[in-house]
Amino acid sequence: MKGASRKIDKRASDSKPSGAESSAETAFVSYASPLVDEAIEHANAVREDASPETLHKLRVSLRRLRSLWWAFEPLLDKGENTRQRALFKYLATAAGKTRDWDILIELIAQHERVAREMTPMLEEARGGALATSRETLSNADVKHLLQDALTSASKELNTAHERVPLQAFVDRRVAASERSLKKRIKRASHAKRSDYTAFHEVRKAGKKVRYLLEFFEPVLSGSHKRVLKRLKQIQKRFGTLNDIVASEMLLRDNLGLLAGSGDTGAALDWLRKERKRRMRAAAGLLRKL
């Protein structure tokens, strides 16, 4: 897989526009095609490789696709764009259901006594989730869905009567994503500490900005170093918070399935304390941004 990933990265870098002189419409496929190939490759790998890393790569590749389609939203049919982004989210969620169990298992491992009692049942539940994820992805026919999405969007853009300069377009879209992030940071900084949704919105907005900067950095005007520094801080602190919150919810939602597997009460109590601690840390970071 590592060798394949390097091939994907090289293919992506080779195919991206080398400058800002091209139009956004003609440049789209050079951004989208490598991402589609990458997602298909990871989806195929999930059939054989059930490791947490493989599932994580698939989910990330689908999130990146969703962000790219958001970036080109002003140039695409609104209804079709919304449908395609919903499709990417659906596929990412299918992969994510198993990944969520992986994260819970990793966290519970930090609580040695609880892990010793609960891990066998958690692993069994993870196996069930993996079977469901594989079935969903197989039935969805990821390869053809993603190729059709690429073909449809490319055709629409290639037949557009007007052409938008690439640099001007990506500057506007990155600026829009950065404004959205700032709004969510401001909203979360004034929210109650128990309002996780506000914190989660900051994390999602931060991911979108980071993906767009990764896509378009070679042709963007101006420096985005300050934003990138902020994004790294958000990703690290808010990511660990999200892992705790998602794991706590997953455990609560499956108490019946895990009955008799160990001290679930102790596990929930530990997760609750971790959630509060990490919420304080996230709130502290917001005050500094």
Side-chain angles (χ1 to χ4, degrees):
M1 279 302 295
K2 288 183 179 178
S5 296
R6 283 195 293 269
K7 289 180 183 178
I8 291 169
D9 291 341
K10 185 178 187 302
R11 187 165 63 242
S13 62
D14 289 346
S15 62
K16 287 184 179 180
S18 58
E21 66 277 359
S22 60
S23 72
E25 289 83 357
T26 56
F28 170 78
V29 70
S30 64
Y31 290 111
S33 184
L35 293 181
V36 167
D37 289 346
E38 179 180 359
I40 291 171
E41 186 164 339
H42 291 323
N44 290 336
V46 169
R47 298 174 188 171
E48 305 296 332
D49 184 359
S51 68
E53 184 64 17
T54 301
L55 288 158
H56 177 63
K57 286 180 178 179
L58 174 58
R59 184 158 64 168
V60 169
S61 67
L62 290 163
R63 286 173 173 171
R64 284 165 57 83
L65 275 173
R66 192 161 182 253
S67 294
L68 184 67
W69 255 250
W70 177 89
F72 281 85
E73 183 179 32
L75 305 180
L76 295 167
D77 177 79
K78 185 175 181 180
E80 180 65 11
N81 183 272
T82 299
R83 189 183 76 81
Q84 294 296 356
R85 290 174 61 214
L87 169 65
F88 301 149
K89 184 177 181 179
Y90 168 76
L91 295 175
T93 299
K97 289 185 182 300
T98 303
R99 177 60 182 154
D100 288 344
W101 283 103
D102 289 325
I103 293 170
L104 175 58
I105 291 169
E106 290 169 9
L107 287 170
I108 291 297
Q110 298 177 35
H111 198 305
E112 187 174 343
R113 180 182 63 81
V114 174
R116 187 166 55 250
E117 298 173 344
M118 290 187 63
T119 296
M121 189 66 75
L122 292 176
E123 293 281 4
E124 184 178 338
R126 194 260 187 193
L130 175 63
T132 301
S133 293
R134 281 174 164 169
E135 182 179 7
T136 300
L137 293 168
S138 177
N139 290 341
D141 194 356
V142 174
K143 178 179 179 179
H144 288 99
L145 281 176
L146 297 187
Q147 288 178 338
D148 286 348
L150 175 61
T151 300
S152 175
S154 299
K155 182 179 180 180
E156 182 181 355
L157 292 169
N158 287 333
T159 55
H161 296 299
E162 297 182 3
R163 289 288 183 267
V164 180
L166 176 61
Q167 186 178 71
F169 178 75
V170 299
D171 279 346
R172 287 198 299 269
R173 295 308 284 160
V174 169
S177 68
E178 290 177 348
R179 287 195 299 272
S180 178
L181 174 59
K182 288 178 182 177
K183 288 180 181 178
R184 282 160 176 74
I185 288 174
K186 183 177 181 180
R187 190 177 303 155
S189 64
H190 292 94
K192 293 181 179 179
R193 191 167 292 174
S194 59
D195 183 6
Y196 172 68
T197 300
F199 288 75
H200 187 53
E201 289 299 316
V202 171
R203 179 172 175 268
K204 290 197 299 182
K207 279 181 175 291
K208 183 181 293 181
V209 175
R210 180 167 61 86
Y211 292 150
L212 264 59
L213 290 177
E214 290 173 354
F215 297 150
F216 304 132
E217 190 276 333
V219 295
L220 283 172
S221 59
S223 174
H224 294 264
K225 289 182 179 180
R226 184 177 179 183
V227 176
L228 283 169
K229 181 179 179 181
R230 177 182 294 184
L231 291 176
K232 289 179 182 178
Q233 293 174 317
I234 290 173
Q235 182 178 3
K236 182 177 181 179
R237 197 160 301 186
F238 283 68
T240 55
L241 169 61
N242 181 72
D243 287 348
I244 288 290
V245 173
S247 294
E248 185 180 3
M249 290 177 59
L250 184 63
L251 187 54
R252 289 188 185 280
D253 291 343
N254 290 276
L255 288 177
L257 178 66
L258 299 172
S261 64
D263 194 347
T264 53
L268 283 170
D269 185 56
W270 179 76
L271 287 168
R272 179 181 59 81
K273 291 177 180 177
E274 279 294 297
R275 168 170 50 83
K276 289 184 175 181
R277 183 176 70 82
R278 297 189 188 197
M279 286 283 279
R280 288 194 298 269
L285 175 60
L286 286 177
R287 290 192 293 270
K288 298 176 182 178
L289 294 177

